[in-house]
Amino acid sequence: MTFKQQVVLITGGSSGIGLSTARLFAGEGAHVWLVARDRERLEAALDQVRAASAEPEHVHGLAVADVSDPGQASAAVARISEQAGVPDIVINSHGVTHPGYFQDLDLSIFREMMEINYFGALHVIRAVVPAMMERQSGHIVNVASGAALVGSFGYAAYSASKHALRGLSDVLRIELKPH
């Protein structure tokens, strides 16, 4: 598969796996669109991704967007779709963690992990899937963690959110395959 000229949306693109993935896609000639919450980190990431690209004009950043907010996630997908077309590939690579023993974690930490790690991906997917189905093509990659496969000691909230993301991914693979 070639990624040249493919429209690639990467959430969490300002650091870690998202940033590394963005550099790889840019190096392959894809039109890379980054979404992140922190403007300074996003701008620094854009510089790195453009440096890795043979065609730096193919690398784009969005205004800062928090994908845990369904309106911001939808607006990000809509902006990319208007300017470049419906993404061919969506990489949900955003995420946060908060280690701690189960009994010591406030319920708000569990909610935050679910809002960002699970619902953030869900909001992006819900925003892009109808157009992908209409076009009858597209790929969605949800970056989870080893914690999505096996519970990680000291990471009850994080592991639960990543298990949820893995479960959603498994169901979507089955439901969306025919489209």
Side-chain angles (χ1 to χ4, degrees):
M1 179 176 187
T2 179
F3 299 111
K4 190 165 184 63
Q5 302 299 321
Q6 297 283 296
V7 176
V8 181
L9 162 60
I10 302 174
T11 68
S14 66
S15 64
I17 294 170
L19 177 55
S20 294
T21 303
R23 285 194 297 253
L24 291 171
F25 274 111
E28 294 288 325
H31 292 270
V32 178
W33 290 79
L34 302 181
V35 177
R37 295 183 295 174
D38 184 287
R39 181 176 306 284
E40 286 181 22
R41 288 175 65 183
L42 178 59
E43 289 172 2
L46 286 169
D47 290 341
Q48 290 181 48
V49 177
R50 284 185 180 121
S53 178
E55 301 175 68
E57 67 277 6
H58 289 186
V59 179
H60 311 276
L62 295 173
V64 174
D66 180 350
V67 295
S68 69
D69 177 320
Q72 290 185 44
S74 292
V77 171
R79 180 173 172 199
I80 294 167
S81 297
E82 289 167 8
Q83 293 185 12
V86 175
D88 298 293
I89 301 168
V90 173
I91 311 284
N92 281 310
S93 184
H94 63 277
V96 295
T97 187
H98 190 108
Y101 296 117
F102 173 82
Q103 67 275 12
D104 297 334
L105 292 175
D106 188 81
L107 183 58
S108 66
I109 300 299
F110 285 87
R111 290 190 187 283
E112 178 188 28
M113 295 297 100
M114 290 301 290
E115 286 297 330
I116 296 171
N117 297 343
Y118 173 74
F119 282 106
L122 179 72
H123 298 320
V124 171
I125 293 166
R126 288 181 62 90
V128 76
V129 160
M132 283 182 165
M133 288 176 69
E134 184 176 319
R135 186 183 60 202
Q136 297 185 339
S137 69
H139 300 278
I140 299 168
V141 177
N142 294 319
V143 177
S145 164
L149 304 171
V150 178
S152 299
F153 183 85
Y155 290 87
Y158 175 77
S159 291
S161 70
K162 293 300 187 170
H163 269 80
L165 182 58
R166 164 85 190 281
L168 174 66
S169 300
D170 288 346
V171 170
L172 291 177
R173 182 180 304 110
I174 297 164
E175 288 188 13
L176 297 178
K177 185 80 170 168
H179 303 284

